[in-house]
Amino acid sequence: MIVKALPQPEFSRPFDTPELGEKAEQRVIEANADECRALAERFGVLGIAALKAELTIRRLGPALVRLEGRLTAEVSQQCVITLDPVESAIDERFAVTYAGSLPHEEGATLPFHDDNEEGPDPLDCTAIDLGETVSQQLAVSLDPYPRAPGASLEKILPRRAAAPDEPAGPFAVLAALRKRMS
């Protein structure tokens, strides 16, 4: 049996959870230029000029760890209309709860801060990769359809005015083709 190693995350900052006591720990992590380039390639953006996160890690129980943070980033994406670069500043807060394995007791519930929050992420080992968590939060914070200021389809697509007796709408081209073929 061949076992392949998982790829190393572009921005990795492991944190050993056994070292976490009752008091919350603070961390500030920042991606270097090489990590920013690798993340830009991974996320399909033109560039990431900066990525920084201020994090608080606290123990909620014997097998529960909560990571709360604020990430800031300077990102360049391609406009979906003009293909011009679109610069954006991202400033997002996030929270992730990790749960390790404990013997399950009948009727036991996990303590969460918010009923709207998803269940905890599994903590399969004794470390949380803070950098990878921040990277994933950045990915969901990116604008899926970035637009340059003033960009619109009406400005780049030629629009033909329909005569009063010509059909308009999505099937107008098909109607014109049918008319020419008859």
Side-chain angles (χ1 to χ4, degrees):
M1 176 160 107
I2 297 174
V3 177
K4 290 185 179 181
L6 293 175
Q8 180 68 21
E10 299 86 349
F11 178 43
S12 182
R13 301 294 187 277
F15 177 82
D16 291 326
T17 56
E19 295 176 12
L20 186 59
E22 294 298 318
K23 189 175 179 183
E25 298 235 4
Q26 307 292 320
R27 294 282 192 278
V28 175
I29 61 173
E30 195 164 354
N32 65 35
D34 290 337
E35 292 166 331
C36 285
R37 269 192 298 281
L39 286 171
E41 185 177 323
R42 173 180 169 186
F43 299 140
V45 299
L46 297 176
I48 299 174
L51 173 59
K52 181 179 179 180
E54 299 166 3
L55 307 168
T56 302
I57 309 120
R58 72 175 38 94
R59 187 169 298 286
L60 298 178
L64 286 175
V65 175
R66 177 96 167 163
L67 172 64
E68 295 175 339
R70 175 180 175 216
L71 78 89
T72 55
E74 299 294 326
V75 180
S76 179
Q77 295 179 267
Q78 196 169 39
C79 174
V80 295
I81 296 174
T82 65
L83 304 181
D84 292 335
V86 177
E87 306 299 324
S88 61
I90 296 173
D91 189 346
E92 295 284 330
R93 293 195 175 280
F94 64 92
V96 181
T97 303
Y98 294 93
S101 58
L102 272 181
H104 181 69
E105 296 177 18
E106 194 66 36
T109 59
L110 296 173
F112 295 114
H113 297 295
D114 184 356
D115 289 338
N116 296 324
E117 185 178 333
E118 292 182 17
D121 286 352
L123 181 58
D124 294 330
C125 58
T126 59
I128 297 171
D129 192 334
L130 302 176
E132 180 58 19
T133 301
V134 169
S135 299
Q136 291 173 11
Q137 295 301 318
L138 173 63
V140 298
S141 298
L142 292 172
D143 184 350
Y145 304 104
R147 285 188 178 207
S152 70
L153 286 174
E154 289 77 28
K155 289 182 180 179
I156 62 169
L157 292 178
R159 207 134 173 105
R160 186 176 68 95
D165 62 337
E166 287 185 21
F171 296 105
V173 173
L174 292 175
L177 181 63
R178 184 174 168 199
K179 189 176 183 180
R180 272 194 309 195
M181 292 178 80
S182 353

